[in-house]
C-alpha cells in the first residue's frame, strides 16, 4: 500500500509516461487483489499459500511445479497415439499420382490352373445310387472308390427306414442351438451312447464334423497357452489353432523323438504356468498313417501336457468295436483328455463329437462357438448315429469290419505292386494314400504342382478308361492372402491319390479295381509328357 | 501363423537384460480381437459415479485412520495418501490384462491405464485421475505441516502414480516397477 507513493516522488526524474504506466499497473494490481480477496473461498487459498511457504522455498517450488503439471495436463488437447503413427499427409499431386497408378482388380479373378483342375469333377446322375456302384450324368455306371461310406451303411434298409420315421416324428431340422431349444431326447441318447461306447463320463455332439475340432480347440485355449501340434495336422485343426491365438510349436509328423525334443525344450524355458496341449490325429488325414498312442501318453505324462486327439478318420474304422485308435492300441480312453471324433463318413450320419471327463464336456456347452452359435444336429442323423454305434458293437458290425479289413488288404496288395507309387496309409486305414515314389520324383524333377497335375491325369485316366472314381488329396487349401513365397514355408502335404476301400464290393471286384488303378497310374507315368529327365530305359 | 509374422515377433521380443523397454504395438490379429467387444474392464472409468467414488474412498480412508487411537493428524493424512496411491498404482499400473474372459487375452500386455479410452491421451477421465492424486498430495502435505519426513514420503508416493500416467511413458516398462511381460513369441 505504501509503495503507491513512490511513483510520485520519482516522477521528477523519469518521464511522465513511465510514471503513469507504473502508477496504473500498481492500481490495477491493487484492484485485482482486492477483487480476488472478495471472491468466495479466496481466504482459504491465501491462507494455504501463506502457510505452505514455511521458510522453505524449495518445497513450495516443488508443490507449485506439481500444480502446474496438473494444470498443463488438464488443459492439453486430447489425441490418440494409435492414429498418430498411421497418418501420412499427402499433397494434391501425390494423391493424383496414386489415383493414376491404381488399376482395379477384376471382379472375377482368374483362377490358378490347379484350382481349375479341382473343379473338374465327375457329375453324378440325378437318380444315382450312393453306393459303391453309381451312375454318371452321361449314363455310364462307375465304381466309386472316392467315398468314405466304407460299410455302405447309407444304403442300409433298416437305417433308412428308421431315419424316415424319425423325420416323421421330429421334422428335419432342430432349428435351434443345443443350448437353447435345439436339444432333443435323441441328442441326449446319442451323447450317452457315445460315452458308453468309449467308457467315458460324458460326451457332446456337434452338428458338423469339420467345425468340431476347431471349435473344441478354441473353447479350451486362449492367447498365451501353449500348443504342440503335429506338422501334418488337418485343416480344421489348423483353423482352430489359428482362431485360439496361442503359442504353437510343431513337431515332425508322427515323430515321437522330435515331439520329445520340442516338449523338453518348452519345459526347460521359464514360462508362466498356462494350459499346455499336444494336438495330433489318430489317423492322419493328409498322410494316412497312425499315431503311436502309448508312446504319446508316456510323453504327455512325463512333461505334463494334455492331449487333444482327433479320431475323425479312425472312429468306426479301427479297433474291435470301431472305437478308434484307443481300442486298437489298448489305451484307456480316460487317458485322452479331449477326444474328438466324427459321425460323418463311415458312420453314415453327420456331425462330430467330443468325449471325455464330465467337467471338460460341460465346459464346452457354453464355451464352444460351434455349440452355442449353430443349430444342433438334425434329429434323424442323431438316431442314425445311435443305431450305427449299436451296430458297431454287435456281431453284424464285427462282420462288417472284418470284411472291410479283407477288402483293404486285397486292394492294397494290388496297389503295392505298382512300380510308381507307394502307399503311406496305415494297414488298417481304408483310405489308401498313394504318393509317387521318391526316385521318380527325383529322376523326372517333378515339382509339387507338376505332381498334382500328374495325379489328376491318373484320376481322369481311371474314370475315362476304367470307370473308377478315385480322388486326389485336396484337404489343405492354401492360406488366404499369403504370398507364394510364404506358402512354400508353410506345411503342405505331399500330393497323393486317395483310393477308398469299401466292404460293399466283393473281393474279386475290389481286386479288379485295384489292378485297374495300378494300370491307370502306369499308363500316365509312361506318357511322353511325363518322361522328361528320365534316362532311356534299357 | 505365417512365417513372416514369426520373424517379426521374434525381433520384438524383450531381452531380459534390458531395464527399460517399450511395449510394441499389437499385431493386427490382436488389434482385431481388441475391437471385437468394448473393453468392459476399462470402460467403467467413464461411468456415472466413477469419479465421485475416488473422493468418497479418500474420505472413508481418512475416517478409518482417524478412528484408530493414537494416530496423529500427520500420520493419518500420510496413511490416507499412501493407501490411495498404493491402491491406484496396483490397479492402474501394475496389473495387466483383463480379469474376465471375453476377448481371448487381447489386452494381456496392457495395464489398465493404457486400456482406458482406447489408449487416447488427455481424455477427461485421464485428466481427472491425474488431478486427484496431485490434489490429495497438496492437501495431505498441508495438514502434515510440511514436516520434511512426511513431505518426502507423500511426495514420492505421489510421483509413483503421477509419472507413469504421463503420455511420454505410455507403454514404457521399467524392470522392478512392472511385472515380467508375457511371452508373445510364436
Amino acid at each position: 500500500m505504501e509503495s503507491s507513493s513512490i511513483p510520485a516522488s520519482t516522477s521528477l526524474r523519469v518521464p511522465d509516461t513511465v510514471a503513469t504506466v507504473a502508477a496504473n499497473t500498481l492500481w490495477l494490481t491493487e484492484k485485482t487483489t482486492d477483487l480476488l480477496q472478495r471472491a468466495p473461498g479466496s481466504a482459504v487459498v491465501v491462507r494455504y499459500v501463506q502457510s505452505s511457504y514455511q521458510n522453505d522455498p524449495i518445497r513450495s517450488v516443488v508443490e507449485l511445479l506439481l500444480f502446474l503439471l496438473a494444470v498443463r495436463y488438464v488443459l492439453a488437447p486430447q489425441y490418440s497415439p494409435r492414429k498418430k503413427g498411421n497418418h501420412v499427409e499427402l499433397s494434391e499431386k501425390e494423391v493424383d499420382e496414386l489415383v493414376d497408378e491404381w488399376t482395379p482388380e477384376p471382379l472375377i479373378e482368374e483362377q490358378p490352373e490347379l484350382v481349375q483342375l479341382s473343379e473338374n469333377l465327375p457329375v453324378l446322375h440325378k437318380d444315382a445310387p450312393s453306393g459303391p456302384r453309381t451312375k454318371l450324368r452321361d449314363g455310364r455306371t462307375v465304381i466309386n472308390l472316392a467315398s468314405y461310406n466304407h460299410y455302405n451303411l447309407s444304403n442300409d434298409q433298416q437305417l433308412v427306414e428308421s431315419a424316415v420315421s424319425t423325420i416323421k416324428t421330429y421334422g428335419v431340422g432342430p432349428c435351434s442351438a443345443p443350448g437353447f431349444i435345439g436339444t432333443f431326447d435323441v441328442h441326449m441318447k446319442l451323447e450317452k451312447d457315445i460315452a458308453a461306447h468309449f467308457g467315458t463320463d460324458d460326451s457332446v455332439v456337434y452338428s458338423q464334423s469339420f467345425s468340431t475340432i476347431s471349435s473344441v480347440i478354441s473353447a479350451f485355449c486362449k492367447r498365451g497357452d501353449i500348443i504342440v501340434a503335429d506338422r501334418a495336422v488337418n485343416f480344421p485343426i489348423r483353423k482352430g489353432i489359428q482362431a485360439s491365438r496361442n503359442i504353437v510349436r510343431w513337431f515332425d509328423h508322427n515323430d515321437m523323438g522330435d515331439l520329445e525334443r520340442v516338449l523338453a525344450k518348452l519345459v526347460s524355458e521359464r514360462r508362466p504356468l498356462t494350459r499346455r496341449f499336444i494336438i495330433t490325429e489318430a489317423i492322419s488325414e493328409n498322410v494316412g498313417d497312425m499315431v503311436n498312442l502309448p508312446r504319446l501318453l508316456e510323453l504327455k505324462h512325463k512333461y505334463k501336457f494334455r492331449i487333444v486327439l482327433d479320431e475323425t478318420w479312425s472312429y468306426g474304422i479301427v479297433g474291435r468295436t470301431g472305437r478308434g485308435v484307443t481300442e486298437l492300441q489298448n489305451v484307456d480312453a480316460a487317458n485322452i483328455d479331449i477326444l474328438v471324433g466324427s459321425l460323418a463318413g463311415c458312420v453314415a450320419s453327420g456331425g462330430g463329437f467330443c468325449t471325455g471327463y464330465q467337467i471338460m464336456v460341460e465346459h464346452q456347452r457354453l464355451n464352444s462357438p460351434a455349440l452355442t452359435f449353430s443349430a444342433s444336429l438334425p434329429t434323424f442323423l442323431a438316431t442314425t448315429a445311435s443305431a450305427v454305434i449299436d451296430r458297431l458293437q454287435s456281431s453284424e458290425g464285427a462282420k462288417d469290419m472284418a470284411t472291410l479289413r479283407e477288402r483293404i488288404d486285397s486292394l492294397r496288395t494290388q496297389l503295392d505292386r505298382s512300380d510308381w507309387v507307394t502307399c503311406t496309409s496305415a494297414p488298417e486305414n481304408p483310405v489308401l494314400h498313394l504318393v509317387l515314389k521318391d526316385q521318380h520324383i527325383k529322376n523326372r524333377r517333378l515339382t509339387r504342382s507338376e505332381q498334382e497335375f500328374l495325379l489328376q491325369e491318373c484320376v481322369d485316366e481311371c474314370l475315362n478308361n476304367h470307370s473308377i472314381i478315385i480322388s486326389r488329396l485336396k484337404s489343405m487349401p492354401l492360406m488366404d492372402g499369403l504370398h507364394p513365397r510364404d506358402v512354400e514355408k508353410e506345411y503342405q502335404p505331399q500330393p497323393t491319390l486317395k483310393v477308398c476301400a469299401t466292404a460293399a464290393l466283393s473281393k474279386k471286384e475290389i481286386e479288379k479295381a485295384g489292378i485297374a488303378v495300378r494300370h491307370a497310374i502306369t499308363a500316365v507315368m509312361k506318357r511322353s509328357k511325363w518322361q522328361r529327365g528320365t534316362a532311356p530305359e534299357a | 501363423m505365417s512365417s513372416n509374422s514369426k520373424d517379426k515377433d521374434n525381433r520384438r521380443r524383450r531381452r531380459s537384460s534390458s531395464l527399460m523397454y517399450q511395449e510394441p504395438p499389437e499385431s493386427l490379429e490382436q488389434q482385431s480381437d481388441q475391437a471385437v467387444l468394448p473393453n468392459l474392464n476399462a470402460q467403467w472409468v467413464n461411468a456415472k459415479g466413477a469419479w465421485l467414488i475416488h473422493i468418497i474412498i479418500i474420505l472413508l480412508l481418512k475416517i478409518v485412520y482417524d478412528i484408530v487411537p493414537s494416530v496423529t493428524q500427520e500420520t493419518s493424512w500420510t496413511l490416507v495418501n499412501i493407501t490411495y496411491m498404493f491402491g491406484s498404482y496396483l490397479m492402474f499400473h501394475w496389473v495387466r490384462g483383463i480379469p474376465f474372459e471375453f476377448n481371448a487375452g487381447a489386452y494381456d500386455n496392457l495395464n489398465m491405464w493404457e486400456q482406458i479410452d482406447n489408449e487416447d491421451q488427455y481424455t477427461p477421465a485421464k485428466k481427472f485421475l491425474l488431478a486427484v492424486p496431485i490434489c490429495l498430495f497438496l492437501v495431505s502435505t498441508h495438514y502434515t505441516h510440511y514436516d520434511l519426513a512426511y513431505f518426502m514420503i507423500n511426495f514420492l508416493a505421489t510421483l509413483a502414480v503421477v509419472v507413469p500416467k504421463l503420455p511420454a511413458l505410455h507403454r514404457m516398462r521399467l524392470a522392478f516397477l512392472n511385472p515380467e511381460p508375457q511371452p508373445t513369441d510364436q
Side-chain angles (χ1 to χ4, degrees), chain A residues 74 79 100 118 134 138 261 287 303 328 352 428 442 459 475 511 513:
Chain A
V74 167
Y79 76 90
D100 289 339
S118 305
T134 186
D138 55 15
R261 180 188 65 79
V287 185
Y303 293 101
L328 183 76
E428 295 87 355
K442 213 187 275 170
V459 172
S475 60
E511 271 176 357

Tab-separated table of all heavy atoms in Angstrom, chain A residues 74 79 100 118 134 138 261 287 303 328 352 428 442 459 475 511 513:
chain	number	residue	atom	x	y	z
A	74	VAL	N	-4.333	-30.935	-17.586
A	74	VAL	CA	-5.776	-30.773	-17.716
A	74	VAL	C	-6.119	-29.940	-18.944
A	74	VAL	O	-7.131	-30.169	-19.606
A	74	VAL	CB	-6.349	-30.145	-16.427
A	74	VAL	CG1	-7.777	-29.677	-16.640
A	74	VAL	CG2	-6.301	-31.149	-15.289
A	79	TYR	N	-5.568	-36.541	-27.780
A	79	TYR	CA	-5.117	-37.137	-29.049
A	79	TYR	C	-4.996	-38.643	-28.894
A	79	TYR	O	-4.984	-39.167	-27.779
A	79	TYR	CB	-3.781	-36.528	-29.502
A	79	TYR	CG	-2.565	-37.012	-28.754
A	79	TYR	CD1	-1.861	-38.131	-29.200
A	79	TYR	CD2	-2.119	-36.364	-27.610
A	79	TYR	CE1	-0.752	-38.578	-28.520
A	79	TYR	CE2	-1.008	-36.804	-26.923
A	79	TYR	CZ	-0.321	-37.912	-27.386
A	79	TYR	OH	0.783	-38.360	-26.701
A	100	ASP	N	-3.801	-42.342	-60.360
A	100	ASP	CA	-3.437	-42.793	-61.704
A	100	ASP	C	-2.839	-44.195	-61.698
A	100	ASP	O	-3.073	-44.990	-62.604
A	100	ASP	CB	-2.440	-41.811	-62.340
A	100	ASP	CG	-3.137	-40.501	-62.690
A	100	ASP	OD1	-4.381	-40.535	-62.812
A	100	ASP	OD2	-2.448	-39.473	-62.816
A	118	SER	N	-9.237	-78.810	-59.833
A	118	SER	CA	-10.052	-79.381	-58.770
A	118	SER	C	-11.528	-79.230	-59.056
A	118	SER	O	-12.349	-79.967	-58.530
A	118	SER	CB	-9.726	-78.692	-57.450
A	118	SER	OG	-8.354	-78.784	-57.208
A	134	THR	N	-22.229	-96.487	-58.957
A	134	THR	CA	-23.081	-95.318	-59.154
A	134	THR	C	-23.115	-94.961	-60.623
A	134	THR	O	-22.454	-95.613	-61.443
A	134	THR	CB	-22.591	-94.163	-58.262
A	134	THR	OG1	-23.500	-93.101	-58.358
A	134	THR	CG2	-21.215	-93.685	-58.658
A	138	ASP	N	-23.686	-88.923	-67.764
A	138	ASP	CA	-23.786	-89.439	-69.133
A	138	ASP	C	-24.307	-90.871	-69.176
A	138	ASP	O	-24.291	-91.513	-70.227
A	138	ASP	CB	-22.427	-89.313	-69.845
A	138	ASP	CG	-21.323	-90.002	-69.067
A	138	ASP	OD1	-21.658	-90.802	-68.162
A	138	ASP	OD2	-20.144	-89.739	-69.321
A	261	ARG	N	11.760	-83.831	-28.088
A	261	ARG	CA	12.699	-82.701	-28.149
A	261	ARG	C	11.953	-81.379	-27.944
A	261	ARG	O	12.363	-80.537	-27.129
A	261	ARG	CB	13.392	-82.711	-29.514
A	261	ARG	CG	14.394	-81.597	-29.728
A	261	ARG	CD	14.874	-81.584	-31.168
A	261	ARG	NE	13.807	-81.276	-32.123
A	261	ARG	CZ	13.345	-80.050	-32.362
A	261	ARG	NH1	13.870	-79.024	-31.732
A	261	ARG	NH2	12.385	-79.860	-33.224
A	287	VAL	N	-1.684	-87.830	-44.481
A	287	VAL	CA	-0.689	-88.859	-44.780
A	287	VAL	C	-1.295	-90.252	-44.704
A	287	VAL	O	-0.918	-91.135	-45.469
A	287	VAL	CB	0.523	-88.738	-43.828
A	287	VAL	CG1	1.606	-89.712	-44.209
A	287	VAL	CG2	1.070	-87.319	-43.835
A	303	TYR	N	5.930	-84.944	-19.374
A	303	TYR	CA	6.098	-83.488	-19.468
A	303	TYR	C	4.867	-82.716	-19.023
A	303	TYR	O	4.811	-81.498	-19.130
A	303	TYR	CB	6.495	-83.094	-20.889
A	303	TYR	CG	7.867	-83.603	-21.246
A	303	TYR	CD1	8.033	-84.739	-22.016
A	303	TYR	CD2	8.998	-82.955	-20.761
A	303	TYR	CE1	9.293	-85.222	-22.318
A	303	TYR	CE2	10.260	-83.423	-21.059
A	303	TYR	CZ	10.404	-84.561	-21.828
A	303	TYR	OH	11.651	-85.025	-22.113
A	328	LEU	N	-7.694	-99.944	-30.522
A	328	LEU	CA	-6.735	-100.738	-31.288
A	328	LEU	C	-5.417	-100.890	-30.532
A	328	LEU	O	-4.813	-101.959	-30.508
A	328	LEU	CB	-6.488	-100.071	-32.644
A	328	LEU	CG	-5.560	-100.829	-33.577
A	328	LEU	CD1	-6.286	-102.008	-34.179
A	328	LEU	CD2	-5.035	-99.933	-34.675
A	352	GLY	N	-20.128	-84.319	-35.417
A	352	GLY	CA	-18.962	-84.843	-34.718
A	352	GLY	C	-19.241	-84.875	-33.231
A	352	GLY	O	-20.325	-84.489	-32.788
A	428	GLU	N	-4.514	-100.506	-41.476
A	428	GLU	CA	-5.935	-100.543	-41.085
A	428	GLU	C	-6.750	-99.463	-41.769
A	428	GLU	O	-7.978	-99.467	-41.683
A	428	GLU	CB	-6.084	-100.368	-39.571
A	428	GLU	CG	-5.498	-101.488	-38.740
A	428	GLU	CD	-4.027	-101.267	-38.444
A	428	GLU	OE1	-3.451	-100.292	-38.976
A	428	GLU	OE2	-3.453	-102.077	-37.703
A	442	LYS	N	12.479	-87.599	-58.198
A	442	LYS	CA	13.833	-87.054	-58.347
A	442	LYS	C	14.292	-87.155	-59.803
A	442	LYS	O	14.763	-86.187	-60.383
A	442	LYS	CB	14.787	-87.812	-57.422
A	442	LYS	CG	15.919	-86.920	-56.893
A	442	LYS	CD	16.942	-87.724	-56.136
A	442	LYS	CE	16.563	-87.929	-54.679
A	442	LYS	NZ	17.462	-88.910	-54.015
A	459	VAL	N	-6.280	-89.709	-62.070
A	459	VAL	CA	-7.698	-89.731	-61.698
A	459	VAL	C	-8.563	-89.772	-62.949
A	459	VAL	O	-9.490	-90.581	-63.061
A	459	VAL	CB	-8.038	-88.481	-60.837
A	459	VAL	CG1	-9.537	-88.391	-60.616
A	459	VAL	CG2	-7.293	-88.525	-59.521
A	475	SER	N	-7.166	-81.602	-49.187
A	475	SER	CA	-7.674	-81.194	-47.876
A	475	SER	C	-7.007	-79.961	-47.308
A	475	SER	O	-7.385	-79.488	-46.258
A	475	SER	CB	-7.499	-82.331	-46.885
A	475	SER	OG	-6.132	-82.632	-46.784
A	511	GLU	N	-10.323	-106.331	-56.147
A	511	GLU	CA	-9.016	-106.664	-56.735
A	511	GLU	C	-8.925	-106.137	-58.157
A	511	GLU	O	-7.924	-105.571	-58.564
A	511	GLU	CB	-8.798	-108.170	-56.719
A	511	GLU	CG	-8.150	-108.634	-55.431
A	511	GLU	CD	-8.013	-110.144	-55.355
A	511	GLU	OE1	-8.479	-110.842	-56.279
A	511	GLU	OE2	-7.442	-110.599	-54.349
A	513	ALA	N	-10.575	-103.672	-59.366
A	513	ALA	CA	-10.470	-102.209	-59.307
A	513	ALA	C	-9.037	-101.791	-58.974
A	513	ALA	O	-8.502	-100.847	-59.568
A	513	ALA	CB	-11.434	-101.660	-58.265
